[in-house]
Amino acid sequence: MAQMTTEQYLDGIQAGLIAELTKHKEALPPGFNRERFVLNCITVIQDMLKDKKKRDKLCEVKLETIPVCLAQGAYLGLDFFNGECYAIPYAGNMQFQTDYKGEIKLCKRYSKEPIKDIFAKIVRDGDLFEEEVENGIQKVRYRPVPFSDKPMLGAFAIVSYKDGSMLYDTMSSADIENVRNTYSKAKDSQAWRESTGEMYKKTVLRRLCKLIDLDFDNIEQRIAYEDGGDATFDSHQITGNGQYAIAEGVGPIDAFAQMAHEQIGGLELEEVAG
């Protein structure tokens, strides 16, 4: 990069990205707007160049890995500019990573079983969080302290399907930190340092997603999705906490309603929204 101007550098990325998207045009989702996507990607790289620390990191990245990384967002229909995914300089390469909201979008789009709602929540010190079995029914009760900034104890994720069935997963902060320190591609990345809560939610949601039957349209999408995780969950890493809850003819949970308290598919969630 030191041997070329900023304009030449950006032109090289743009040409490489267009070549990748042309080469794998069958992998792009229906209605994909190539011109807007390329423009948004170049804008993101331009913004990174304005930050000295990020610029220095970019100088260490092999130029040819940048278009490949950016194209992975295109295959999944995610937008770097809107923060649905990220391009992260690490170990000499540009690495693709999905954001929490990108994970939600992908699950709703590619789940074989239509999803009504899917989300993850942080549990902090002082929040009410209980798991129990009552009359053979699994229940989760969650009541957060409004606007709390106390230490995070863990996180949980829930998916409710349109047919009334549900499943959920929970992870303690120790579980999440173990994943971060043992399996993360970049455990000290900006995302982990500055958006720890979002990464906690993404970690438990990504593990829950291993229990969701996702049906991608092509191999490029599947590879991009697997590459997009901060950590890779193999089957032996999914331990103990994944829970299924099945019901017929019962509506999905509304976890965000004021004073919501519903029993859905054997899973009861109680939350007081701030």
Side-chain angles (χ1 to χ4, degrees):
M1 182 175 173
Q3 298 177 351
M4 66 177 73
T5 66
T6 298
E7 183 177 355
Q8 290 172 329
Y9 179 74
L10 292 173
D11 285 346
I13 294 174
Q14 179 171 312
L17 178 55
I18 292 174
E20 283 291 321
L21 298 180
T22 302
K23 180 180 178 182
H24 300 287
K25 60 183 180 181
E26 294 82 4
L28 300 174
F32 178 75
N33 189 325
R34 190 180 76 168
E35 289 71 25
R36 184 176 65 182
F37 179 82
V38 172
L39 177 61
N40 285 354
C41 285
I42 296 303
T43 300
V44 168
I45 299 298
Q46 285 176 321
D47 288 343
M48 294 176 72
L49 291 171
K50 295 175 183 177
D51 184 293
K52 186 180 185 305
K53 290 184 179 180
K54 293 180 180 179
R55 185 184 181 93
D56 291 343
K57 287 288 185 182
L58 280 176
C59 289
E60 302 172 0
V61 170
K62 301 183 188 71
L63 183 60
E64 63 271 18
T65 68
I66 298 178
V68 175
C69 167
L70 297 175
Q72 288 186 299
Y75 303 150
L76 293 173
L78 301 181
D79 196 327
F80 292 91
F81 186 75
N82 292 333
E84 295 175 343
C85 55
Y86 300 103
I88 300 177
Y90 185 74
N93 298 310
M94 189 68 94
Q95 297 195 1
F96 175 69
Q97 188 174 123
T98 55
D99 182 73
Y100 169 71
K101 56 181 171 287
E103 293 279 329
I104 297 290
K105 184 176 180 178
L106 294 175
C107 286
K108 289 184 175 180
R109 177 183 294 168
Y110 294 109
S111 173
K112 283 186 177 180
E113 298 296 328
I115 290 176
K116 176 65 177 180
D117 200 7
I118 179 171
F119 60 89
K121 300 289 254 182
I122 296 296
V123 179
R124 295 182 179 273
D125 187 17
D127 292 347
L128 171 68
F129 183 78
E130 297 178 344
E131 293 182 85
E132 62 182 31
V133 177
E134 182 177 322
N135 298 324
I137 298 175
Q138 294 174 340
K139 296 182 179 181
V140 171
R141 290 189 176 90
Y142 173 58
R143 183 178 295 173
V145 176
F147 311 114
S148 174
D149 59 357
K150 290 186 177 181
M152 293 181 288
L153 303 181
F156 68 95
I158 292 176
V159 57
S160 62
Y161 295 101
K162 291 184 178 180
D163 67 358
S165 62
M166 297 184 65
L167 61 91
Y168 75 99
D169 198 4
T170 64
M171 295 181 72
S172 69
S173 59
D175 291 335
I176 295 171
E177 289 296 334
N178 179 61
V179 170
R180 174 183 181 180
N181 293 320
T182 307
Y183 302 105
S184 175
K185 298 175 184 176
K187 65 179 182 178
D188 297 317
S189 68
Q190 184 179 3
W192 274 111
R193 295 194 314 270
E194 299 180 7
S195 302
T196 309
E198 290 297 297
M199 292 302 290
Y200 268 46
K201 292 195 293 184
K202 179 186 171 181
T203 300
V204 69
L205 181 66
R206 170 63 68 137
R207 192 169 78 165
L208 176 65
C209 287
K210 299 301 290 186
L211 302 175
I212 299 173
D213 195 0
L214 300 179
D215 185 20
F216 293 99
D217 297 330
N218 51 67
I219 188 62
E220 286 85 3
Q221 290 178 348
R222 169 64 66 179
I223 293 173
Y225 176 74
E226 294 297 338
D227 287 349
D230 176 71
T232 301
F233 288 110
D234 299 322
S235 57
H236 68 276
Q237 292 171 254
I238 304 176
T239 57
N241 291 330
Q243 303 291 332
Y244 287 92
I246 308 299
E248 295 182 359
V250 183
I253 196 165
D254 179 6
F256 303 101
Q258 193 80 2
M259 294 297 291
H261 184 192
E262 303 181 43
Q263 180 176 310
I264 305 298
L267 179 69
E268 188 173 275
L269 181 71
E270 180 177 5
E271 177 181 356
V272 177

